[in-house]
Amino acid sequence: MTVLIAGAGIGGLTAALSLHAAGIDVTVAESAREIRPLGVGVNLLPHAVRELTELGLGDRLAALGVATSEIVYCDRYGRRLFTEPRGIAQGYRWPQYSVHRGELQLLLLDAVRERLGSGAVYTGMRLTGFEQQADGVRARFLDRSNGNPEVAAAGVLVGADGLHSTVRAQLHPDSGPLLWSGVRMWRGTAEAPPFLTGSSMIIVRDGDVEMVAYPIGGNRINWVCQVRVTGPRPLAEEAGWNRTARAADVWPYIQDWSLGWLDVPRMVMETENILVYPMVDREPLTLWRRGRATLLGDAAHPMYPVGANGASQAVVDARVLAYELATSGDDVTGGLARYEAARRDATAAVVLANRRMSLARGNTERELAGVTDAYRRTTGSDVEVLNGRASLTPA
């Protein structure tokens, strides 16, 4: 069996490592001509950290990120509304890490090249389409370095190519538009001193404005300011992730905040690079796979970042895919079907739970505790469930 992965993001690279560990030949094709540490912060929840630890990356993760110890809800004056322990402090056997997304991607890329060889990841190869065959897939690419077309054959094609997935578009040409929550998000990373425990994540609520902030190592604080500007609707604009914004755009929403232990207005004004984009997802699919092509991560189930779960779900996708293919013998399509059966409904539940979380406006300790407890139950991330689940490493 050979597997071709379109996309060298967090999900695609984790899939490459997992498939290789299971003894399956794998190649990754990435559209970007150079993989650089772009983006801002991301959270890896314990169910993702478990999988990366079982891939032998636990020490690297610990050195890269901050093990989040608590999440604190507060108002714009810094008054606590609700505090919940996270990761090890919550009883999980694995921590929760806050890291820089681009640095995590490079960590995974380095591990892929170490284990699979320097030629395992092809950059500058933009997937343009594919054809199904009885025993595999022929994928068509455009070599962005010279404009030449290229063709690659594999037993399985995995579309880990993100929100604007070419694989998804061919499998589901009528899957509908991106759906906008009505929330606009500004994100940035600033140098700032630690606050509270030094490993705390905060969610500051002020009417239709919400800010999430947490340390990601290197004396850096990642922040995202979310503002509801309209009701939910289909997105009528391009959902670009690299559009820059100004601190002055965020200033009206946070100018009079005074937390005491974190100077939010100063943090925002001293942020050099700020990105802005809409909070979007898609309706969950009823089918991921056709023949020997399937989807993974944001290509399969884009979700609001409300539950800090998008990257983590992509990691779990990758591990389940490798497990099912490794234990399928010669029944490749059966392995792909079992992967989809294990992950399609589970990730759809997370997509819908994130939507509910985005609308939850509770501000009392009881209300917030109820919301977070319901989220864990709905998304299958209870402490006992994860701690007691069998390993996804094939025997």
Side-chain angles (χ1 to χ4, degrees):
M1 189 192 310
T2 58
V3 176
L4 174 62
I5 299 171
I10 292 170
L13 293 171
T14 303
L17 290 168
S18 301
L19 290 161
H20 173 75
I24 296 172
D25 290 336
V26 57
T27 301
V28 182
E30 165 59 38
S31 179
R33 297 181 65 176
E34 180 183 1
I35 299 176
R36 295 180 291 146
L38 302 176
V40 283
V42 66
N43 275 275
L44 289 175
L45 302 182
H47 46 275
V49 175
R50 172 182 181 173
E51 302 311 326
L52 295 175
T53 300
E54 292 192 11
L55 283 171
L57 299 174
D59 290 343
R60 297 191 195 188
L61 284 177
L64 180 69
V66 173
T68 308
S69 61
E70 65 175 7
I71 184 168
V72 177
Y73 290 80
C74 62
D75 64 18
R76 63 192 180 99
Y77 301 108
R79 294 179 297 217
R80 291 192 184 219
L81 305 172
F82 174 61
T83 301
E84 180 183 65
R86 305 295 283 186
I88 298 294
Q90 198 171 8
Y92 290 102
R93 291 170 54 194
W94 300 269
Q96 172 177 328
Y97 285 120
S98 298
V99 301
H100 188 284
R101 177 183 289 274
E103 293 171 1
L104 173 62
Q105 185 181 14
L106 290 187
L107 182 156
L108 295 170
L109 178 63
D110 288 345
V112 168
R113 287 173 168 163
E114 289 169 7
R115 299 177 187 185
L116 281 69
S118 58
V121 179
Y122 291 86
T123 57
M125 301 298 290
R126 181 170 65 84
L127 181 69
T128 58
F130 61 92
E131 287 81 39
Q132 299 265 12
Q133 299 176 321
D135 59 350
V137 177
R138 284 174 58 85
R140 291 177 276 107
F141 294 90
L142 179 70
D143 187 336
R144 297 181 61 195
S145 67
N146 54 29
N148 292 334
E150 301 285 349
V151 176
V156 172
L157 173 64
V158 177
D161 46 345
L163 186 69
H164 301 293
S165 167
T166 299
V167 179
R168 177 180 175 131
Q170 183 167 328
L171 292 176
H172 302 283
D174 301 318
S175 63
L178 290 169
L179 302 176
W180 184 27
S181 65
V183 172
R184 180 103 27 218
M185 300 189 298
W186 288 266
R187 302 194 68 166
T189 299
E191 289 192 11
F195 57 87
L196 297 179
T197 65
S199 57
S200 301
M201 174 188 295
I202 59 167
I203 298 180
V204 187
R205 290 187 159 179
D206 184 21
D208 285 332
V209 182
E210 183 173 285
M211 174 170 281
V212 182
Y214 49 87
I216 57 172
N219 293 318
R220 296 168 299 175
I221 304 296
N222 181 82
W223 60 267
V224 52
C225 183
Q226 305 172 170
V227 181
R228 183 168 296 281
V229 296
T230 187
R233 62 185 62 179
L235 186 68
E237 62 187 77
E238 174 64 24
W241 305 131
N242 296 312
R243 288 183 295 175
T244 59
R246 303 171 304 156
D249 299 331
V250 188
W251 178 257
Y253 303 111
I254 51 86
Q255 59 182 316
D256 58 352
W257 286 13
S258 180
L259 274 61
W261 31 265
L262 176 64
D263 190 338
V264 170
R266 180 177 180 179
M267 177 182 70
V268 170
M269 295 305 293
E270 292 183 353
T271 301
E272 293 185 1
N273 299 306
I274 298 177
L275 303 176
V276 60
Y277 44 87
M279 181 189 288
V280 297
D281 66 6
R282 291 186 188 273
E283 287 295 343
L285 292 170
T286 59
L287 180 72
W288 286 6
R289 175 188 64 90
R290 283 195 175 92
R292 291 182 175 230
T294 192
L295 301 171
L296 184 151
D298 282 349
H301 46 73
M303 58 186 64
Y304 298 168
V306 174
N309 220 334
S312 295
Q313 291 299 319
V315 168
V316 178
D317 285 352
R319 294 282 287 161
V320 173
L321 172 67
Y323 179 86
E324 295 298 347
L325 287 179
T327 56
S328 67
D330 295 330
D331 185 13
V332 176
T333 56
L336 292 175
R338 286 188 290 276
Y339 157 65
E340 179 178 331
R343 296 299 296 154
R344 187 189 61 231
D345 290 348
T347 53
V350 179
V351 170
L352 299 178
N354 285 3
R355 288 183 186 174
R356 291 191 293 271
M357 280 273 282
S358 75
L359 297 172
R361 304 316 302 166
N363 282 318
T364 69
E365 182 173 2
R366 181 177 180 179
E367 289 169 337
L368 291 167
V371 168
T372 56
D373 286 345
Y375 184 81
R376 279 195 301 275
R377 290 193 303 272
T378 304
T379 59
S381 53
D382 278 325
V383 174
E384 294 79 9
V385 171
L386 179 62
N387 287 350
R389 176 176 58 74
S391 172
L392 292 174
T393 299

